[in-house]
Amino acid sequence: VILLHGVGEAGEAWAPIGAKLAEHGLRVLAPDLRGHGDSSWSSERVYDAASMAADLKEVFLELDLYKRRCALVGAGLGAAVAADFAARFPRLVGLLALVDYDPSASSQAYCKVQGAGQVPNHRECLQLLTSPLMREQRRTPAAAEKAAGVIFRQDALLGHWTPRMDPNFHMPGPPRAALGRSLASLRCKVLYLHAFEESTVAAVEAMCGPEVAANMSVARMQKSSGFSVSDSPFEVYKVLKGALLGTRASSAVFPFTEEEEGEGEGGGGARSRTPESLGLKPLPQFDSLEEAFKALGPRQIPTREAIQQELDKLRAEEGGPASSEDEDGEDGRRRRTGLS
């Protein structure tokens, strides 16, 4: 389960929900998106959804997450990144959960506290988050208390607080037509958790198209003021738990696509899910058949003499005496076996 946070926040925003999901044996990851938390800032100020989806692709490669499909959950900004990723890599995502996702809202493009600079103390952090000047990003006192430590970082020596994000962050929204094509190309189960008016939900469903909308489950977060992860974490957890445990119990929630029918029983399973076959890495290019065969063809099994020569080289590098080819004993057999 991959959990992506909202604008101005960090992966810790998901800590209460992620910990509860992990109790059910689920592997849960909550990375910091670029420009947020402990992740690096873009020197060129590149913060579009496609670039952050490319960052997520590198996480999948680094941690070998591509070997089976995952549940991808995003809130606000994270939902935009999750939707882009799911559209680009449909064979990697079995369940897409969008929390508080309004594609037309500017509130997901930047955080109004990101340019706050130094805030003297924790109390003023709370006042800033609950200020009427925050408008659509204004939080309730309870939600602000939970989010302050995620949005701000305290200087251990000076005591002041600063936002944990790039002050120049801004995510440009794709053209509505392009976004609609992206949402309409989703090929997984979609779960939509929101605290919006029904008109917003209808607009999202219309952008997704009839096929995706027919495969979408909608849940309204009754106790949320627009920041469901911090406003009503139990509601979010309850809905996700039902969807995820249902996913584990029934393969119908993660239906095989036509291209993946061979990945089931007797079809090779995870062995067929390579980075190249999933579009995560380009296939290698070769100038000639001979070059391709040299790189990809079967390798010659080393002879006993070749193994002995390599062992002697290793001993010489370690400063030990070279041994005879007839070296016996457990240590000699272990070295030769390990090298072969």
Side-chain angles (χ1 to χ4, degrees):
V1 183
I2 315 295
L3 306 173
L4 304 181
H5 60 81
V7 67
E9 299 180 340
E12 297 100 298
W14 285 101
I17 297 173
K20 294 293 292 183
L21 292 175
E23 291 178 0
H24 298 281
L26 296 167
R27 183 186 182 189
V28 181
L29 301 173
D32 293 344
L33 296 173
R34 69 162 62 183
H36 291 74
D38 294 327
S39 288
S40 59
W41 298 357
S42 172
S43 59
E44 299 178 351
R45 303 181 184 180
V46 178
Y47 291 115
D48 57 285
S51 297
M52 288 187 274
D55 295 340
L56 186 58
K57 180 190 75 170
E58 296 303 319
V59 174
F60 271 71
L61 287 170
E62 181 68 23
L63 301 179
D64 292 340
L65 302 180
Y66 55 83
K67 293 184 178 179
R68 59 183 304 181
R69 277 176 282 187
C70 73
L72 189 55
V73 185
L77 166 70
V81 177
D84 188 280
F85 184 89
R88 293 175 185 273
F89 304 103
R91 294 176 62 192
L92 293 177
V93 182
L95 175 66
L96 174 66
L98 306 175
V99 184
D100 297 333
Y101 178 49
D102 182 358
S104 62
S106 61
S107 60
Q108 297 176 166
Y110 66 97
C111 182
K112 292 187 176 181
V113 303
Q114 65 191 49
Q118 298 179 0
V119 182
N121 51 57
H122 183 263
R123 180 176 58 83
E124 293 200 22
C125 289
L126 299 180
Q127 290 178 348
L128 182 59
L129 293 175
T130 57
S131 169
L133 296 176
M134 295 291 289
R135 304 186 64 173
E136 70 276 6
Q137 292 186 1
R138 182 184 184 185
R139 297 174 185 256
T140 64
E145 185 68 45
K146 296 175 183 177
V150 176
I151 296 176
F152 294 93
R153 176 187 288 112
Q154 184 179 24
D155 188 290
L157 295 177
L158 302 178
H160 60 249
W161 297 67
T162 55
R164 299 178 59 195
M165 68 177 300
D166 184 354
N168 297 308
F169 179 89
H170 182 270
M171 186 186 74
R176 189 174 182 84
L179 178 60
R181 287 194 297 270
S182 178
L183 292 174
S185 67
L186 295 174
R187 298 165 61 188
C188 58
K189 283 281 187 181
V190 180
L191 182 62
Y192 188 47
L193 292 73
H194 73 97
F196 303 129
E197 299 295 331
E198 291 303 319
S199 58
T200 302
V201 180
V204 172
E205 291 178 333
M207 294 182 69
C208 289
E211 292 186 8
V212 175
N215 211 27
M216 178 188 294
S217 299
V218 179
R220 181 174 178 82
M221 303 293 99
Q222 301 293 336
K223 299 179 181 180
S224 174
S225 62
F227 297 92
S228 298
V229 174
S230 55
D231 285 343
S232 52
F234 181 74
E235 278 188 295
V236 176
Y237 160 71
K238 186 177 179 180
V239 174
L240 291 178
K241 174 189 171 184
L244 293 168
L245 295 184
T247 293
R248 301 176 71 196
S250 172
S251 61
V253 181
F254 284 151
F256 286 127
T257 61
E258 292 180 2
E259 295 84 356
E260 290 181 295
E261 288 179 352
E263 292 181 20
E265 186 175 350
R271 289 178 296 176
S272 63
R273 295 181 63 84
T274 63
E276 293 80 8
S277 68
L278 295 168
L280 293 170
K281 284 184 178 181
L283 290 170
Q285 303 292 322
F286 303 102
D287 295 331
S288 65
L289 183 61
E290 180 181 356
E291 183 180 335
F293 185 80
K294 184 182 297 185
L296 304 176
R299 299 182 180 180
Q300 184 178 2
I301 299 176
T303 63
R304 180 185 177 93
E305 291 75 15
I307 294 175
Q308 188 63 47
Q309 290 177 4
E310 293 300 322
L311 284 172
D312 290 339
K313 288 181 182 178
L314 290 173
R315 292 191 184 93
E317 292 174 358
E318 295 172 357
S323 61
S324 67
E325 184 178 338
D326 295 328
E327 177 186 12
D328 291 320
E330 181 63 27
D331 183 63
R333 285 193 294 273
R334 183 169 61 250
R335 284 173 176 254
R336 285 195 291 273
T337 302
L339 184 60
S340 62

